[in-house]
Amino acid sequence: MSKAPATRLTRRGILTAGGALGLGALLAACGDEKANSGGSGSGAADGKSGPWSFKDDRGQTAKADKAPSSIVAFVGVAAALHDYGVDVKGVFGPTKTKDGKADVQAGDLDVDKVTVLGNEWGQFNIEKYAALAPDLLVTTMFDGAGTLWYVPEESRKKILAVGAPSVGISVYDRRMPEPLQRMLDLAKSLGADTASARTAQAKKRFEDAAARLRAAAKAKPDIKVLAGSASQDVFYVSGTNLSIDLEYFKALGVNFVEPPASALKASGGWFENLSWENVDKYKADVIMMDNRTSAIQPADITEATWKKLPAVKAGQVIARNPEPILSYDKCAPLLEDLAKAIETAKKVS
């Protein structure tokens, strides 16, 4: 996965540096507020009767007497569920930018109609969470240990003590179609009409985009693609072996810059960090840049070494979301954009 600015070489540090480091003093007791709220929500699951269960990617089965309707989710998960017609009440993670607009990770969510429990790393308002009377907590997982993404470790026990079952969807060391299917399965369990024409069209668009990307990579095998992310002091070059998008693109034939394992070791295999003086270490014809708000965007990079890169001078820089919104509707354009970039790229490296 491409990395946002960081001051320490850990997975969380890479993606969330600069965020709040802790929740501060919290109420010791918050679980008893869950009972008898009876929130009906407005998602597709409303009115669905009978027991509900879902086995997540930790191998744990979340259960409830009926399909959850007061759902709280990591913002990217909420955006994916929204695309399938399942609404959530609360979100956590990058939801609003500093000017109050929807963050790129919020997708098509109306960010003014959800309760934001925390907008940065380490922020998760347990009082607000409990007040929502949640009956399901959903997020992704970026490691093999089942760590719930953006659920602060220091307050995890208090959050889980509120009583809502939790579901984790793994986006670690697998290709994009797998978590896409898992999110679709979750949405279906929550009452989404996954057989709708809209979903069928989105899935076909995704499959067509995959075929297009495969064809583009085959037609131009010499076009070298680099996945990067910019911070003030460091330029990160991603490896392809852990990220769901890069693993999939590589499987489709895309020719990526691949830092050696020794260079990736310090980050657990995710990326190599370079000083801006060494940003030209790897030759690339197309550069995919982290488009999350935690990373410096290409237009704002002032380093002369960046501006001198052949791909930059040729205008062959495109956006990449290292945390794709897991709906076919949102993932198809990612493949289309890369396919177009390769199709139109000039060999400049």
Side-chain angles (χ1 to χ4, degrees):
M1 181 176 187
S2 225
K3 320 311 162 216
T7 56
R8 54 193 176 101
L9 298 184
T10 66
R11 173 80 185 143
R12 294 182 176 186
I14 295 157
L15 291 167
T16 58
L21 298 177
L23 295 173
L26 295 163
L27 291 181
C30 58
D32 57 352
E33 295 182 43
K34 179 179 184 291
N36 299 322
S37 169
S40 61
S42 58
D46 289 359
K48 186 176 180 181
S49 60
W52 172 87
S53 67
F54 185 84
K55 187 174 182 179
D56 75 358
D57 292 337
R58 298 171 296 180
Q60 298 181 13
T61 300
K63 298 180 180 179
D65 293 337
K66 61 180 180 179
S69 59
S70 184
I71 303 168
V72 172
F74 174 70
V75 62
V77 171
L81 291 175
H82 175 78
D83 283 351
Y84 292 123
V86 178
D87 291 332
V88 307
K89 283 190 172 181
V91 298
F92 52 96
T95 305
K96 295 182 178 182
T97 58
K98 291 180 179 180
D99 58 5
K101 295 181 180 179
D103 189 276
V104 65
Q105 292 184 250
D108 293 330
L109 282 178
D110 186 337
V111 296
D112 293 321
K113 292 185 177 180
V114 292
T115 298
V116 181
L117 303 178
N119 203 59
E120 298 179 2
W121 182 262
Q123 295 179 349
F124 194 112
N125 190 310
I126 301 178
E127 292 180 85
K128 287 185 177 180
Y129 176 60
L132 292 174
D135 50 16
L136 181 64
L137 175 69
V138 192
T139 187
T140 48
M141 300 181 299
F142 281 94
D143 60 30
T147 304
L148 297 176
W149 189 235
Y150 263 81
V151 175
E153 187 60 30
E154 62 270 24
S155 53
R156 180 180 61 85
K157 290 183 179 180
K158 288 184 178 181
I159 292 167
L160 296 180
V162 172
S166 62
V167 163
I169 301 296
S170 180
V171 288
Y172 173 75
D173 195 16
R174 58 201 62 202
R175 296 173 185 173
M176 184 180 283
E178 184 177 348
L180 271 172
Q181 182 61 51
R182 292 293 287 147
M183 190 63 70
L184 187 69
D185 293 341
L186 176 60
K188 182 178 180 179
S189 81
L190 295 170
D193 179 8
T194 56
S196 69
R198 177 181 176 180
T199 297
Q201 290 168 0
K203 188 172 184 180
K204 184 179 186 303
R205 180 184 175 187
F206 177 84
E207 292 168 347
D208 289 347
R212 178 182 173 185
L213 180 56
R214 186 189 296 276
K218 185 176 181 180
K220 289 190 169 182
D222 60 334
I223 295 298
K224 201 79 172 178
V225 179
L226 181 148
S229 184
S231 70
Q232 183 175 353
D233 300 315
V234 180
F235 183 82
Y236 303 96
V237 179
S238 287
T240 62
N241 291 329
L242 298 177
S243 301
I244 61 169
D245 60 336
L246 301 186
E247 281 202 19
Y248 187 47
F249 300 160
K250 181 173 64 174
L252 293 174
V254 176
N255 183 9
F256 277 103
V257 167
E258 196 71 67
S262 58
L264 299 171
K265 185 176 181 180
S267 67
W270 290 98
F271 71 98
E272 176 182 4
N273 60 311
L274 301 175
S275 66
W276 283 103
E277 290 76 12
N278 295 317
V279 74
D280 59 354
K281 177 178 179 179
Y282 297 107
K283 306 301 181 184
D285 304 293
V286 174
I287 301 176
M288 305 174 67
M289 288 295 289
D290 186 345
N291 70 347
R292 293 169 300 170
T293 52
S294 52
I296 299 176
Q297 298 307 298
D300 299 320
I301 298 175
T302 59
E303 282 76 6
T305 48
W306 163 262
K307 294 181 179 180
K308 291 178 181 179
L309 293 177
V312 175
K313 292 172 68 175
Q316 295 176 177
V317 178
I318 64 171
R320 174 197 173 215
N321 187 346
E323 295 183 63
I325 294 171
L326 294 173
S327 71
Y328 292 106
D329 181 71
K330 294 299 182 292
C331 285
L334 307 181
L335 279 72
E336 293 168 345
D337 291 347
L338 181 54
K340 180 180 179 181
I342 294 173
E343 290 165 351
T344 59
K346 297 177 181 178
K347 183 67 179 175
V348 295
S349 64

